[in-house]
Amino acid sequence: MLDTVRKLAVVTGASTGIGLELAREAAKNKFDLLIAANEPEIETAATELKREGGKVETVQADLATTEGVDALYEAIGDRPVAVLIANAGRGLGKAFLDQDWDDARYVVDTNITGTICLIHKVGNDMREQGDGRILITGSIAGFLPGSYQAVYNGTKAFLDSFSYALREELKDTRITVTCLMPGPTETEFFERADLMDTKVGTEKKADPAKVAKDGWKAMMDGEGGVVSGASNKLQVAAAHILPAETLAKMHTKEAAPGTAEKE
Ligand SMILES: NC(=O)c1ccc[n+]([C@@H]2O[C@H](COP(=O)([O-])OP(=O)(O)OC[C@H]3O[C@@H](n4cnc5c(N)ncnc54)[C@H](OP(=O)(O)O)[C@@H]3O)[C@@H](O)[C@H]2O)c1
């Protein structure tokens, strides 16, 4: 299927940030696109992506819900999916006990439940069709106990781990699974996660276009994963050595309310 002329790429969370840039990579590489997000801005993204040529379809659905995932899956229909980019996700700042429980749960439902539900459906179709590429947006946050972003980092630890596990299970097929692990990246993520009073929310961050290029290349090369950016690679290496308690303390300095650098 991967050798047919215009292949289909499905990209979740493609309205802004890293997902929009991943969708742009797909469009530039001559894929037709089915892009999804929860808000109407997905239509603006589609208009922009159409300039790259090729077909762009949209689905506006809450991918934290079974109904939302089903709506996206129905929009795929019986078409073979050559590339699935499971990228939709959200953060949530502040101390866990101070977070609204429904907000915390929504992070888990979006980042984990909705993501793996979609991968389960599309992955089975890929197995039947005999090939496919899956890119999962995890994070270097998955290596760090995320004080003041505890739930979010936990979801990314899940996804980083899940991605490598699924890849191993599919090693004898022509389906590849790749994990994109960005560090802090300049997107709407921090504003949405109420992290603008923190150091990580206000410091200089990576360019989402560069992060997406790294992810796209790793996926097309069939790699297991890519940590985007040299300093993030160092941070992951340190995370493998330092005690978890030290890492949690370091994360407090980045993500606790009031840590934002003063102008
Ligand atoms: N920015 C960073 O520093 C960073 C670092 C590492 C990993 N990541 C990961 O990168 C991915 C993309 O984030 P981003 O930084 O590009 O942030 P972003 O600009 O806020 O983009 C998030 C995307 O996910 C969509 N989304 C969120 N919840 C959704 C839901 N319930 N249903 C459907 N779509 C939903 C958003 O669409 P709507 O607006 O329509 O909800 C948007 O398109 C996330 O998985 C994030 O965890 C980000």
Side-chain angles (χ1 to χ4, degrees):
M1 261 350 137
L2 286 178
D3 302 326
T4 54
V5 184
R6 270 210 100 99
K7 298 160 282 185
L8 180 66
V10 176
V11 188
T12 70
S15 56
T16 55
I18 297 168
L20 175 58
E21 297 304 329
L22 283 165
R24 204 187 310 280
E25 286 300 312
K28 279 183 186 158
N29 283 280
K30 312 274 178 249
F31 283 77
D32 281 338
L33 279 168
L34 176 57
I35 57 173
N38 194 22
E39 305 289 338
E41 281 71 27
I42 194 66
E43 300 302 336
T44 317
T47 307
E48 195 180 321
L49 291 164
K50 276 178 192 159
R51 290 190 206 119
E52 304 287 347
K55 250 172 81 179
V56 183
E57 294 164 68
T58 59
V59 171
Q60 194 189 327
D62 184 353
L63 297 174
T65 66
T66 307
E67 299 73 34
V69 174
D70 285 348
L72 174 55
Y73 187 61
E74 270 163 34
I76 295 169
D78 55 8
R79 292 176 289 177
V81 176
V83 163
L84 171 64
I85 300 183
N87 165 82
R90 55 200 314 117
L92 186 64
K94 309 286 182 271
F96 174 62
L97 296 182
D98 296 335
Q99 291 173 345
D100 183 271
W101 168 245
D102 290 337
D103 291 347
R105 187 184 174 143
Y106 192 52
V107 172
V108 175
D109 290 346
T110 303
N111 297 9
I112 299 181
T113 314
T115 300
I116 65 170
C117 177
L118 180 65
I119 292 171
H120 191 262
K121 287 173 191 289
V122 177
N124 267 300
D125 292 344
M126 283 180 171
R127 185 161 64 174
E128 213 159 281
Q129 82 200 22
D131 55 21
R133 296 183 192 277
I134 300 173
L135 180 68
I136 299 173
T137 306
S139 174
I140 67 162
F143 298 103
L144 308 166
S147 338
Y148 299 94
Q149 248 221 125
V151 172
Y152 173 74
N153 283 38
T155 66
K156 291 293 157 170
F158 179 102
L159 285 181
D160 292 353
S161 165
F162 172 83
S163 186
Y164 279 95
L166 180 62
R167 175 182 175 82
E168 168 65 16
E169 289 177 10
L170 295 172
K171 70 177 186 310
D172 297 327
T173 72
R174 293 184 61 223
I175 303 167
T176 60
V177 184
T178 303
C179 191
L180 169 59
M181 292 163 282
T185 306
E186 206 58 68
T187 69
E188 296 177 18
F189 176 93
F190 296 91
E191 188 104 43
R192 286 174 173 168
D194 200 10
L195 282 162
M196 295 313 287
D197 59 347
T198 68
K199 184 164 185 295
V200 68
T202 48
E203 69 192 3
K204 191 172 168 8
K205 292 185 263 297
D207 174 4
K210 160 77 169 74
V211 171
K213 265 193 195 351
D214 288 346
W216 181 265
K217 181 174 184 311
M219 177 187 69
M220 294 317 272
D221 290 348
E223 288 171 16
V226 60
V227 173
S228 182
S231 63
N232 293 323
K233 285 188 176 71
L234 274 177
Q235 210 178 328
V236 169
H240 285 119
I241 300 165
L242 294 172
E245 285 185 0
T246 306
L247 295 169
K249 274 193 183 23
M250 288 165 66
H251 205 276
T252 294
K253 290 184 184 151
E254 289 285 320
T259 51
E261 278 160 19
K262 309 273 179 295
E263 297 269 312

